[in-house]
Amino acid sequence: MSLLKPDLILGHVTDITPELLQRHRLRGLIVDLDNTLIPYGSFAEALEVQTWTGELLERGIKMYMVSNALPERVAFWTQRLNFPGVGLASKPLPRAFKKAVKRMGLQSRQVAMVGDQLFTDVLGGNLIGAFTIMVRPLSDNALPHTKFTRRMEQLVLRRFSSSFTGD
Ligand SMILES: [Mg+2]
């Protein structure tokens, strides 16, 4: 069960500040794309997120996108946000996460995986020994499979809820 436990639950990626990263001795972020950085399937400009990534990069935080989305979509956003990434990543399999850590020139424990899904982002991040941050999904794509996943996530998170209170 602990492989499904995020180290931190936040509302939005922009809640991740340089100070928060410093406090946890983190020097790099692996970020999910859909519903974490950008609403599912969107190509619309996202100034708040662009400002946030710009500031972190300027502070020397390494960033790498790991997404299960199509490579064309990932390429569009990595170009716009100025950091590298990979699509069709088969999360939660560790391969893409390991590659991301290596490309950033860091160790897994120096990296946080940030995503909106427990069974892909958090599980994958925990499998490689990274710090894991779960954020609230930006939009709810109403696919039946997603609804089921969200219900399962709620069940798992409820089991951990006592350890998050007062955090
Ligand atoms: Mg996502």
Side-chain angles (χ1 to χ4, degrees):
M1 271 310 255
S2 64
L3 280 174
L4 288 172
K5 186 177 182 177
D7 291 298
L8 213 54
I9 297 181
L10 299 172
H12 189 246
V13 282
T14 54
D15 295 332
I16 301 168
T17 60
E19 293 70 30
L20 183 146
L21 295 176
Q22 202 169 29
R23 207 179 317 138
H24 293 282
R25 308 203 184 294
L26 297 165
R27 297 178 53 204
L29 288 180
I30 300 174
V31 285
D32 168 51
L33 175 59
D34 280 309
N35 276 345
T36 295
L37 286 180
I38 302 295
Y40 185 81
S42 170
F43 288 93
E45 194 160 43
L47 280 180
E48 197 189 355
V49 163
Q50 284 171 244
T51 305
W52 173 73
T53 55
E55 278 171 10
L56 290 186
L57 290 169
E58 211 166 285
R59 295 274 203 117
I61 302 297
K62 300 276 198 299
M63 299 192 77
Y64 204 97
M65 190 182 291
V66 172
S67 169
N68 285 347
L70 292 175
E72 301 83 71
R73 174 166 171 70
V74 172
F76 175 88
W77 280 109
T78 51
Q79 274 162 34
R80 190 175 264 190
L81 297 172
N82 288 313
F83 60 87
V86 63
L88 290 177
S90 305
K91 292 184 284 185
L93 294 182
R95 185 175 46 91
F97 295 104
K98 284 183 179 167
K99 181 179 162 187
V101 169
K102 197 174 172 188
R103 290 282 168 84
M104 289 190 282
L106 297 172
Q107 307 286 323
S108 289
R109 58 182 167 75
Q110 299 176 295
V111 169
M113 169 66 211
V114 188
D116 68 299
Q117 292 203 53
L118 214 47
F119 304 111
T120 53
D121 304 316
V122 173
L123 176 57
N126 282 335
L127 281 172
I128 63 152
F131 192 85
T132 49
I133 303 175
M134 191 175 182
V135 293
R136 205 183 300 280
L138 292 175
S139 62
D140 233 331
N141 36 318
L143 303 170
H145 131 92
T146 309
K147 279 188 188 160
F148 176 75
T149 306
R150 295 293 176 208
R151 281 227 298 277
M152 294 305 291
E153 286 175 337
Q154 286 315 309
L155 282 175
V156 173
L157 288 176
R158 215 169 296 152
R159 284 186 139 226
F160 294 136
S161 64
S162 57
S163 54
F164 288 122
T165 50
D167 213 343

